[in-house]
């Protein structure tokens, strides 16, 4: 329900497609597809995906495989669903067998990183998983306090760095060591998120990742990139850059309860081949849902 209402703007932008398809006939195909492409662009699908979708539709229409507006609409939904799932189908967490599993959560400030990490801890704890949080955002003054609130709220243990100049990689190492010694199942690592164009952030994130894999070969098991679902196509260069530096294994899309801009998700998933694992639909502890591509497509196209 929250997802559906969060996408009301995207749905409004795409509603024109229903009108177009209602009166579609073969002779009118070029004009209808041009307008359909325009509607996809306005809904943040991005030029590459919009053209790809429209050209696939044109091919099927000209081959006589789509004979009505309804069939075209179904094919459109099917393409978007395929874009979201074909290259990136592992949408559940891949934690491997070794314990503790380590999950790094990365993303730019304000995107919902710390909140998502807290909500994820709640989900894991509900599944009986023993979670240790690591306050790896040593740059933003209030970040550790905020994470401590989430630790309390979710009944999780937490490792916080001591001293002013403590390095993120050292806090995360400390947490992973404690995780191993005390038999935790998952270590959830928060990280800094000052502007993604800041070179030293990327250096810091690689150092964090190296520090973790030094202690547990193969870890981190997941590097989840948190993307603000209201930012539209800006999320694409962000995702590219984080992926180049730390190798993203999954996406968490936040703020989908607000005025989310849905189309760009298909662009990110298609270009980078990274699955969406969770969606954030509010600020509460329960407001993190596993990604359901079909529900997502139904929320975008009414
Ligand atoms: P960080 O800087 O990336 O760690 O971002 P925060 O976790 O501090 O979140 C920034 C703001 O976004 C806070 O006010 C959060 O409550 C809010 N927020 C995070 N996720 C969601 C979400 O899914 N929905 C809504 N409505 N707000 C969210």
């Amino acid at each position: 329900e929250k997802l559906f209402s969060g996408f009301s703007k995207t749905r409004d932008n795409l509603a024109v497609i229903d009108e177009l398809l209602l009166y579609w006939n073969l002779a009118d195909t070029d004009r209808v597809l041009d307008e359909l492409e325009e509607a996809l662009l306005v809904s943040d699908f991005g030029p590459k995906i919009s053209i790809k979708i429209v050209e696939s539709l044109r091919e099927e229409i000209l081959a006589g495989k789509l004979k009505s507006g309804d069939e075209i609409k179904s094919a459109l939904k099917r393409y978007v669903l395929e874009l979201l799932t074909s290259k990136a189908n592992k949408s559940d967490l891949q934690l491997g067998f070794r314990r503790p599993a380590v999950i790094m959560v990365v993303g730019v400030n304000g995107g919902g990183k710390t909140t998502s990490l807290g909500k994820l801890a709640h989900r894991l704890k509900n599944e009986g998983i023993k979670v240790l949080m690591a306050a790896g955002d040593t740059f933003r003054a209030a970040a550790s306090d905020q994470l401590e609130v989430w630790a309390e709220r979710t009944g999780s243990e937490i490792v916080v760095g001591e001293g002013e100049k403590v390095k993120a990689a050292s806090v995360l190492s400390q947490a992973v060591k404690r995780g191993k010694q005390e038999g935790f199942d998952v270590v959830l690592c928060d990280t800094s998120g000052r502007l993604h164009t800041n070179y030293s952030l990327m250096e810091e994130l690689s150092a964090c990742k190296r520090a973790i894999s030094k202690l547990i070969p193969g870890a981190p098991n997941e590097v989840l990139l948190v993307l603000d679902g209201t930012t539209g196509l800006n999320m694409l260069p962000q995702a590219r850059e984080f992926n180049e530096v730390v190798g993203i294994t999954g996406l968490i899309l936040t703020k989908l309860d607000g005025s989310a801009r849905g189309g760009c998700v298909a662009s990110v998933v298609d270009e980078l081949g990274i699955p969406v694992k969770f969606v954030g639909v509010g600020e509460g502890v329960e407001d993190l849902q596993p990604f359901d591509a079909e529900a997502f497509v139904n929320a975008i196209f009414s």
Side-chain angles (χ1 to χ4, degrees):
E1 246 170 56
K2 282 184 179 176
L3 194 70
F4 193 79
S5 71
F7 279 123
S8 61
K9 181 134 191 288
T10 305
R11 251 190 337 275
D12 285 351
N13 287 335
L14 292 171
V16 63
I17 292 176
D18 288 337
E19 279 165 46
L20 283 168
L21 293 180
L22 193 61
Y23 301 107
W24 169 82
N25 62 58
L26 195 55
D28 220 11
T29 297
D30 284 343
R31 183 189 62 84
V32 167
L33 289 183
D34 280 351
E35 290 191 37
L36 197 149
E37 186 181 323
E38 186 60 33
L40 291 173
L41 286 169
V42 170
S43 310
D44 297 294
F45 275 84
K48 200 174 140 215
I49 298 288
S50 303
I51 292 169
K52 196 162 153 178
I53 292 174
V54 164
E55 289 317 312
S56 304
L57 286 174
R58 193 188 313 274
E59 227 170 78
E60 286 204 48
I61 292 170
L62 296 181
K65 290 183 191 159
L66 304 175
K67 299 190 193 70
S68 69
D70 281 349
E71 285 181 5
I72 296 173
K73 176 86 183 278
S74 303
L76 172 62
K77 287 170 80 168
R78 175 163 44 85
Y79 288 143
V80 176
L81 190 65
E82 272 171 23
L83 284 173
L84 289 170
T85 53
S86 64
K87 283 195 217 160
N89 55 4
K90 289 196 171 153
S91 63
D92 48 340
L93 284 177
Q94 305 290 310
L95 297 181
F97 296 108
R98 206 182 289 206
R99 292 293 170 262
V102 182
I103 302 176
M104 251 176 101
V105 183
V106 302
V108 301
N109 271 346
K113 192 160 34 67
T114 308
T115 311
S116 300
L117 194 143
K119 292 189 275 191
L120 186 55
H122 178 71
R123 278 199 81 84
L124 294 172
K125 290 206 62 157
N126 276 353
E127 290 171 28
I129 291 170
K130 198 176 164 197
V131 177
L132 179 64
M133 289 181 174
D137 184 353
T138 51
F139 187 79
R140 189 163 61 91
S144 300
D145 299 344
Q146 194 187 339
L147 201 64
E148 278 185 295
V149 172
W150 274 101
E152 206 164 294
R153 198 176 282 164
T154 58
S156 309
E157 297 283 323
I158 182 168
V159 171
V160 179
E162 302 286 334
E164 267 192 16
K165 287 198 177 147
V166 63
K167 286 220 163 39
S170 114
V171 178
L172 301 191
S173 294
Q174 221 178 306
V176 172
K177 281 181 197 154
R178 185 173 158 200
K180 282 169 89 169
Q181 280 159 5
E182 298 181 21
F184 281 89
D185 299 312
V186 171
V187 181
L188 265 181
C189 303
D190 197 10
T191 59
S192 290
R194 56 194 186 276
L195 265 186
H196 67 284
T197 46
N198 188 326
Y199 181 64
S200 60
L201 168 62
M202 294 302 166
E203 286 272 281
E204 180 178 303
L205 292 178
S206 330
C208 287
K209 196 174 171 188
R210 277 198 307 273
I212 294 169
S213 52
K214 228 168 159 184
L215 292 166
I216 306 181
N221 306 71
E222 291 275 9
V223 181
L224 303 179
L225 173 64
V226 173
L227 292 171
D228 181 334
T230 63
T231 54
L233 280 172
N234 281 341
M235 66 170 71
L236 191 55
Q238 250 179 52
R240 256 184 222 135
E241 191 170 358
F242 275 99
N243 190 38
E244 267 166 32
V245 177
V246 279
I248 303 300
T249 59
L251 305 171
I252 299 181
L253 285 175
T254 60
K255 309 187 191 179
L256 297 193
D257 51 311
S259 53
R261 299 168 67 178
C264 43
V265 179
S267 287
V268 176
V269 174
D270 183 62
E271 183 180 318
L272 303 178
I274 300 170
V276 182
K277 301 225 165 182
F278 295 99
V279 295
V281 290
E283 296 175 279
V285 71
E286 301 276 352
D287 291 328
L288 188 77
Q289 301 174 348
F291 180 63
D292 176 345
E294 224 168 294
F296 187 85
V297 170
N298 286 330
I300 294 181
F301 301 101
S302 47

